[in-house]
């Protein structure tokens, strides 16, 4: 009899232990490789968030979150059982987070990608005849960090996205932002200054009123971007499109002041690291 009771008790303990183990929840883990990309519809600048299934297997569902650049915390965008989510932020930029839910347990993806553009602090640029060593400007395609460059050094051709010119010898004319690859073909003021090299080919929009709105979408017809744009106001905002590269980017140029007499401008910029995305809210 005692032996029978012992067997019953042992079985009960084992069953209880099994229940406890099962009650701890399904083994889970975070999604990996969370990333953002530009959606197929440039008219609304849709952002596509994508990720990879956790190593532990597929969860019950994923939760997608968004922290707008103007907010201090995340808000729920929605849920899905797939591995991507399309979001129309209506001109807003921010940071994204994806969480995998396994039963009652949640696991945040380590990557929290952002669409907030990289800000380039205000710097002084010069008309090419005023100072050809400090008339060029460009962004790193890896970091989005901006820098001032020379238009006399062929090695700088890999870094310059635009330069400043009045299209005449000397200084004193209306100033424009110019694509560097056009310096030797349309700019008489750059003759004898700019060497032949693989200068970048970019386009610039007409001045836009709202520096927080998405920059205008690039199109070949009708032409929305030009090989140069004249600075007509202070401040003057214009979009930049890296038309000459396979992986194309948008940026916003802000000319805060322009002095025609001295050939100086003060500019800052916002560069969108996500290829093809026009969002520039900052």
């Amino acid at each position: 009899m005692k032996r029978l009771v012992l067997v019953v008790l042992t079985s009960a303990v084992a069953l209880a232990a099994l229940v406890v183990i099962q009650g701890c929840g399904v083994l889970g883990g975070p999604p990996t490789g969370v990333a953002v990309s530009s959606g197929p519809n440039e008219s609304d600048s849709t952002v596509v968030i994508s990720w990879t299934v956790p190593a532990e297997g597929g969860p019950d569902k994923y939760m997608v979150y968004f922290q707008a650049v103007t907010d201090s915390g995340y808000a729920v965008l929605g849920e899905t059982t797939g591995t991507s989510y399309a979001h129309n932020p209506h001109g807003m930029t921010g940071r994204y987070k994806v969480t995998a839910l396994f039963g009652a347990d949640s696991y945040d993806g380590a990557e929290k990608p952002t669409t907030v553009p990289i800000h380039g602090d205000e710097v002084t640029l010069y008309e090419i005849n005023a100072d050809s060593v400090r008339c060029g400007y460009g962004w790193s395609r890896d970091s989005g960090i901006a820098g001032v460059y020379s238009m006399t050094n062929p090695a700088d051709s890999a870094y310059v996205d635009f330069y400043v010119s009045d299209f005449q010898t000397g200084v004193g004319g209306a100033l424009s932002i110019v694509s560097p690859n056009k310096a030797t073909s349309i700019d008489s003021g750059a003759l004898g200054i700019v060497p032949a090299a693989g200068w970048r080919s970019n386009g610039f929009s007409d001045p836009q009123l709202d520096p927080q709105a998405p920059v205008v979408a690039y199109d070949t017809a009708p032409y929305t971007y030009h090989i140069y744009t004249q600075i007509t106001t202070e401040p003057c905002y214009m979009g930049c499109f890296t038309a000459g590269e396979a992986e194309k980017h948008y940026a916003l140029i802000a000319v805060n002041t322009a002095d025609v007499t001295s050939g100086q401008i003060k500019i800052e910029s916002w560069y969108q690291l996500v290829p093809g995305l026009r969002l520039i809210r900052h």
Side-chain angles (χ1 to χ4, degrees):
M1 182 59 124
K2 290 182 179 180
R3 183 177 179 181
L4 178 59
V5 171
L6 180 59
V7 171
V8 172
L9 288 175
T10 301
S11 300
V13 170
L15 179 60
L18 179 60
V19 171
V20 169
I21 291 172
Q22 290 179 337
C24 289
V26 179
L27 179 64
T32 59
V34 182
V36 292
S37 60
S38 176
N41 190 351
E42 274 198 24
S43 65
D44 61 16
S45 286
T46 298
V47 177
V48 176
I49 309 97
S50 58
W51 57 90
T52 301
V53 174
E56 293 77 8
D60 297 325
K61 61 182 178 181
Y62 301 96
M63 299 296 298
V64 183
Y65 301 84
F66 179 61
Q67 181 180 349
V69 67
T70 54
D71 295 343
S72 58
Y74 285 95
V76 175
L77 288 182
E79 61 183 62
T80 181
T81 56
T83 55
S84 66
Y85 188 93
H87 175 221
N88 180 358
H90 301 287
M92 184 59 68
T93 60
R95 188 172 297 278
Y96 293 87
K97 180 176 72 170
V98 179
T99 300
L101 298 182
F102 290 81
D105 297 329
S106 62
Y107 302 86
D108 292 342
E111 305 88 357
K112 296 178 176 61
T114 182
T115 58
V116 178
I118 306 301
H119 179 224
D121 292 334
E122 185 181 79
V123 297
T124 300
L125 293 182
Y126 297 83
E127 200 276 336
I128 192 167
N129 285 273
D131 189 340
S132 57
V133 175
R134 292 181 289 174
C135 68
Y137 186 96
W139 302 280
S140 163
R141 298 299 187 259
D142 295 325
S143 66
I145 295 174
V148 177
Y149 298 96
S150 169
M151 286 296 290
T152 64
N153 183 3
D156 282 354
S157 63
Y159 309 105
V160 178
D161 282 299
F162 63 86
Y163 73 101
V164 184
S165 181
D166 60 7
F167 295 105
Q168 62 186 26
T169 57
V171 178
L175 299 172
S176 295
I177 298 299
V178 188
S179 179
N181 74 314
K182 297 299 181 181
T184 58
S185 61
I186 68 169
D187 189 356
S188 59
L191 293 179
I193 297 176
V194 181
W199 298 98
R200 286 175 172 174
S201 173
N202 293 329
F204 310 95
S205 73
D206 292 326
Q208 65 180 64
L209 296 177
D210 186 357
Q212 300 289 2
V215 295
V216 64
Y218 177 84
D219 201 349
T220 53
Y223 295 105
T224 53
Y225 281 79
H226 321 287
I227 57 178
Y228 71 90
T229 294
Q230 189 175 105
I231 301 166
T232 55
T233 61
E234 294 181 45
C236 185
Y237 306 108
M238 65 187 79
C240 176
F241 180 73
T242 61
E245 301 175 18
E247 190 176 82
K248 296 174 172 57
H249 291 263
Y250 287 94
L252 177 73
I253 302 165
V255 180
N256 295 326
T257 63
D259 187 331
V260 173
T261 303
S262 64
Q264 294 184 39
I265 68 171
K266 292 186 181 297
I267 75 159
E268 58 184 317
S269 67
W270 289 266
Y271 182 85
Q272 179 54 256
L273 272 176
V274 179
L277 193 63
R278 298 185 296 112
L279 300 177
I280 217 74
R281 184 71 167 84
H282 50 274

PDB file of all heavy atoms in Angstrom, residues 104-123:
ATOM      1  N   ALA A 104       2.441  35.263 -23.845  1.00  0.00           N
ATOM      2  CA  ALA A 104       2.430  36.493 -23.051  1.00  0.00           C
ATOM      3  C   ALA A 104       3.798  37.175 -23.029  1.00  0.00           C
ATOM      4  O   ALA A 104       3.951  38.240 -22.435  1.00  0.00           O
ATOM      5  CB  ALA A 104       1.987  36.181 -21.624  1.00  0.00           C
ATOM      6  N   ASP A 105       4.801  36.562 -23.664  1.00  0.00           N
ATOM      7  CA  ASP A 105       6.159  37.105 -23.639  1.00  0.00           C
ATOM      8  C   ASP A 105       6.425  37.944 -24.882  1.00  0.00           C
ATOM      9  O   ASP A 105       5.988  37.601 -25.991  1.00  0.00           O
ATOM     10  CB  ASP A 105       7.186  35.978 -23.557  1.00  0.00           C
ATOM     11  CG  ASP A 105       7.052  35.178 -22.275  1.00  0.00           C
ATOM     12  OD1 ASP A 105       6.644  35.765 -21.261  1.00  0.00           O
ATOM     13  OD2 ASP A 105       7.331  33.959 -22.305  1.00  0.00           O
ATOM     14  N   SER A 106       7.150  39.041 -24.716  1.00  0.00           N
ATOM     15  CA  SER A 106       7.480  39.923 -25.834  1.00  0.00           C
ATOM     16  C   SER A 106       8.988  40.108 -25.929  1.00  0.00           C
ATOM     17  O   SER A 106       9.691  40.144 -24.913  1.00  0.00           O
ATOM     18  CB  SER A 106       6.795  41.280 -25.666  1.00  0.00           C
ATOM     19  OG  SER A 106       7.237  41.932 -24.483  1.00  0.00           O
ATOM     20  N   TYR A 107       9.460  40.226 -27.167  1.00  0.00           N
ATOM     21  CA  TYR A 107      10.897  40.365 -27.421  1.00  0.00           C
ATOM     22  C   TYR A 107      11.100  41.471 -28.453  1.00  0.00           C
ATOM     23  O   TYR A 107      10.639  41.357 -29.597  1.00  0.00           O
ATOM     24  CB  TYR A 107      11.482  39.049 -27.949  1.00  0.00           C
ATOM     25  CG  TYR A 107      11.288  37.869 -27.017  1.00  0.00           C
ATOM     26  CD1 TYR A 107      10.120  37.115 -27.060  1.00  0.00           C
ATOM     27  CD2 TYR A 107      12.274  37.521 -26.099  1.00  0.00           C
ATOM     28  CE1 TYR A 107       9.935  36.033 -26.213  1.00  0.00           C
ATOM     29  CE2 TYR A 107      12.105  36.435 -25.250  1.00  0.00           C
ATOM     30  CZ  TYR A 107      10.931  35.701 -25.302  1.00  0.00           C
ATOM     31  OH  TYR A 107      10.746  34.633 -24.461  1.00  0.00           O
ATOM     32  N   ASP A 108      11.796  42.552 -28.040  1.00  0.00           N
ATOM     33  CA  ASP A 108      12.062  43.671 -28.935  1.00  0.00           C
ATOM     34  C   ASP A 108      13.247  43.381 -29.850  1.00  0.00           C
ATOM     35  O   ASP A 108      14.276  42.857 -29.397  1.00  0.00           O
ATOM     36  CB  ASP A 108      12.384  44.947 -28.144  1.00  0.00           C
ATOM     37  CG  ASP A 108      11.177  45.471 -27.379  1.00  0.00           C
ATOM     38  OD1 ASP A 108      10.047  45.075 -27.722  1.00  0.00           O
ATOM     39  OD2 ASP A 108      11.379  46.291 -26.465  1.00  0.00           O
ATOM     40  N   GLY A 109      13.111  43.737 -31.116  1.00  0.00           N
ATOM     41  CA  GLY A 109      14.241  43.651 -32.023  1.00  0.00           C
ATOM     42  C   GLY A 109      15.331  44.626 -31.601  1.00  0.00           C
ATOM     43  O   GLY A 109      15.037  45.743 -31.159  1.00  0.00           O
ATOM     44  N   ALA A 110      16.583  44.219 -31.720  1.00  0.00           N
ATOM     45  CA  ALA A 110      17.689  45.080 -31.283  1.00  0.00           C
ATOM     46  C   ALA A 110      17.815  46.314 -32.161  1.00  0.00           C
ATOM     47  O   ALA A 110      18.168  47.399 -31.680  1.00  0.00           O
ATOM     48  CB  ALA A 110      19.000  44.284 -31.295  1.00  0.00           C
ATOM     49  N   GLU A 111      17.529  46.183 -33.457  1.00  0.00           N
ATOM     50  CA  GLU A 111      17.650  47.314 -34.376  1.00  0.00           C
ATOM     51  C   GLU A 111      16.410  48.200 -34.285  1.00  0.00           C
ATOM     52  O   GLU A 111      15.282  47.702 -34.314  1.00  0.00           O
ATOM     53  CB  GLU A 111      17.822  46.834 -35.811  1.00  0.00           C
ATOM     54  CG  GLU A 111      18.991  45.868 -36.012  1.00  0.00           C
ATOM     55  CD  GLU A 111      18.607  44.421 -35.772  1.00  0.00           C
ATOM     56  OE1 GLU A 111      17.440  44.172 -35.396  1.00  0.00           O
ATOM     57  OE2 GLU A 111      19.471  43.536 -35.955  1.00  0.00           O
ATOM     58  N   LYS A 112      16.625  49.487 -34.209  1.00  0.00           N
ATOM     59  CA  LYS A 112      15.537  50.467 -34.190  1.00  0.00           C
ATOM     60  C   LYS A 112      15.849  51.528 -35.246  1.00  0.00           C
ATOM     61  O   LYS A 112      16.314  52.632 -34.933  1.00  0.00           O
ATOM     62  CB  LYS A 112      15.370  51.068 -32.791  1.00  0.00           C
ATOM     63  CG  LYS A 112      14.960  50.024 -31.750  1.00  0.00           C
ATOM     64  CD  LYS A 112      14.847  50.625 -30.361  1.00  0.00           C
ATOM     65  CE  LYS A 112      14.341  49.590 -29.354  1.00  0.00           C
ATOM     66  NZ  LYS A 112      15.260  48.421 -29.233  1.00  0.00           N
ATOM     67  N   PRO A 113      15.613  51.204 -36.511  1.00  0.00           N
ATOM     68  CA  PRO A 113      16.012  52.087 -37.614  1.00  0.00           C
ATOM     69  C   PRO A 113      15.216  53.392 -37.625  1.00  0.00           C
ATOM     70  O   PRO A 113      14.087  53.465 -37.136  1.00  0.00           O
ATOM     71  CB  PRO A 113      15.713  51.247 -38.855  1.00  0.00           C
ATOM     72  CG  PRO A 113      14.622  50.304 -38.410  1.00  0.00           C
ATOM     73  CD  PRO A 113      14.930  49.994 -36.983  1.00  0.00           C
ATOM     74  N   THR A 114      15.828  54.416 -38.202  1.00  0.00           N
ATOM     75  CA  THR A 114      15.215  55.742 -38.205  1.00  0.00           C
ATOM     76  C   THR A 114      15.154  56.321 -39.612  1.00  0.00           C
ATOM     77  O   THR A 114      15.961  55.978 -40.482  1.00  0.00           O
ATOM     78  CB  THR A 114      16.009  56.704 -37.295  1.00  0.00           C
ATOM     79  OG1 THR A 114      15.370  57.985 -37.278  1.00  0.00           O
ATOM     80  CG2 THR A 114      17.442  56.870 -37.771  1.00  0.00           C
ATOM     81  N   THR A 115      14.183  57.196 -39.813  1.00  0.00           N
ATOM     82  CA  THR A 115      14.080  57.953 -41.065  1.00  0.00           C
ATOM     83  C   THR A 115      14.388  59.429 -40.841  1.00  0.00           C
ATOM     84  O   THR A 115      14.245  60.234 -41.761  1.00  0.00           O
ATOM     85  CB  THR A 115      12.665  57.826 -41.660  1.00  0.00           C
ATOM     86  OG1 THR A 115      11.696  58.299 -40.698  1.00  0.00           O
ATOM     87  CG2 THR A 115      12.349  56.378 -42.025  1.00  0.00           C
ATOM     88  N   VAL A 116      14.803  59.804 -39.631  1.00  0.00           N
ATOM     89  CA  VAL A 116      15.139  61.197 -39.344  1.00  0.00           C
ATOM     90  C   VAL A 116      16.385  61.574 -40.145  1.00  0.00           C
ATOM     91  O   VAL A 116      17.409  60.872 -40.079  1.00  0.00           O
ATOM     92  CB  VAL A 116      15.390  61.410 -37.840  1.00  0.00           C
ATOM     93  CG1 VAL A 116      15.789  62.867 -37.553  1.00  0.00           C
ATOM     94  CG2 VAL A 116      14.147  61.039 -37.034  1.00  0.00           C
ATOM     95  N   PRO A 117      16.353  62.657 -40.917  1.00  0.00           N
ATOM     96  CA  PRO A 117      17.512  63.019 -41.743  1.00  0.00           C
ATOM     97  C   PRO A 117      18.698  63.471 -40.898  1.00  0.00           C
ATOM     98  O   PRO A 117      18.532  63.936 -39.769  1.00  0.00           O
ATOM     99  CB  PRO A 117      16.976  64.152 -42.623  1.00  0.00           C
ATOM    100  CG  PRO A 117      15.879  64.765 -41.813  1.00  0.00           C
ATOM    101  CD  PRO A 117      15.239  63.620 -41.081  1.00  0.00           C
ATOM    102  N   ILE A 118      19.890  63.350 -41.473  1.00  0.00           N
ATOM    103  CA  ILE A 118      21.118  63.758 -40.796  1.00  0.00           C
ATOM    104  C   ILE A 118      21.336  65.256 -41.005  1.00  0.00           C
ATOM    105  O   ILE A 118      21.393  65.731 -42.143  1.00  0.00           O
ATOM    106  CB  ILE A 118      22.331  62.977 -41.330  1.00  0.00           C
ATOM    107  CG1 ILE A 118      22.071  61.465 -41.250  1.00  0.00           C
ATOM    108  CG2 ILE A 118      23.585  63.354 -40.554  1.00  0.00           C
ATOM    109  CD1 ILE A 118      21.801  60.954 -39.861  1.00  0.00           C
ATOM    110  N   HIS A 119      21.458  65.979 -39.905  1.00  0.00           N
ATOM    111  CA  HIS A 119      21.601  67.440 -39.979  1.00  0.00           C
ATOM    112  C   HIS A 119      23.052  67.852 -40.163  1.00  0.00           C
ATOM    113  O   HIS A 119      23.939  67.369 -39.457  1.00  0.00           O
ATOM    114  CB  HIS A 119      21.053  68.072 -38.696  1.00  0.00           C
ATOM    115  CG  HIS A 119      21.171  69.566 -38.660  1.00  0.00           C
ATOM    116  ND1 HIS A 119      21.603  70.255 -37.549  1.00  0.00           N
ATOM    117  CD2 HIS A 119      20.925  70.501 -39.610  1.00  0.00           C
ATOM    118  CE1 HIS A 119      21.601  71.549 -37.812  1.00  0.00           C
ATOM    119  NE2 HIS A 119      21.197  71.725 -39.052  1.00  0.00           N
ATOM    120  N   GLY A 120      23.290  68.723 -41.119  1.00  0.00           N
ATOM    121  CA  GLY A 120      24.599  69.333 -41.300  1.00  0.00           C
ATOM    122  C   GLY A 120      24.572  70.745 -40.754  1.00  0.00           C
ATOM    123  O   GLY A 120      23.780  71.584 -41.209  1.00  0.00           O
ATOM    124  N   ASP A 121      25.378  71.039 -39.739  1.00  0.00           N
ATOM    125  CA  ASP A 121      25.391  72.355 -39.106  1.00  0.00           C
ATOM    126  C   ASP A 121      25.729  73.451 -40.114  1.00  0.00           C
ATOM    127  O   ASP A 121      26.351  73.209 -41.147  1.00  0.00           O
ATOM    128  CB  ASP A 121      26.408  72.396 -37.965  1.00  0.00           C
ATOM    129  CG  ASP A 121      25.999  71.523 -36.793  1.00  0.00           C
ATOM    130  OD1 ASP A 121      24.787  71.289 -36.621  1.00  0.00           O
ATOM    131  OD2 ASP A 121      26.887  71.056 -36.056  1.00  0.00           O
ATOM    132  N   GLU A 122      25.333  74.656 -39.790  1.00  0.00           N
ATOM    133  CA  GLU A 122      25.564  75.792 -40.685  1.00  0.00           C
ATOM    134  C   GLU A 122      27.056  76.013 -40.937  1.00  0.00           C
ATOM    135  O   GLU A 122      27.866  76.014 -40.010  1.00  0.00           O
ATOM    136  CB  GLU A 122      24.956  77.067 -40.099  1.00  0.00           C
ATOM    137  CG  GLU A 122      25.046  78.260 -41.044  1.00  0.00           C
ATOM    138  CD  GLU A 122      24.474  79.524 -40.448  1.00  0.00           C
ATOM    139  OE1 GLU A 122      25.166  80.175 -39.631  1.00  0.00           O
ATOM    140  OE2 GLU A 122      23.327  79.873 -40.799  1.00  0.00           O
ATOM    141  N   VAL A 123      27.394  76.194 -42.197  1.00  0.00           N
ATOM    142  CA  VAL A 123      28.769  76.487 -42.607  1.00  0.00           C
ATOM    143  C   VAL A 123      28.737  77.604 -43.643  1.00  0.00           C
ATOM    144  O   VAL A 123      27.692  77.926 -44.216  1.00  0.00           O
ATOM    145  CB  VAL A 123      29.481  75.252 -43.205  1.00  0.00           C
ATOM    146  CG1 VAL A 123      29.622  74.144 -42.172  1.00  0.00           C
ATOM    147  CG2 VAL A 123      28.738  74.748 -44.441  1.00  0.00           C
TER     148      VAL A 123
END
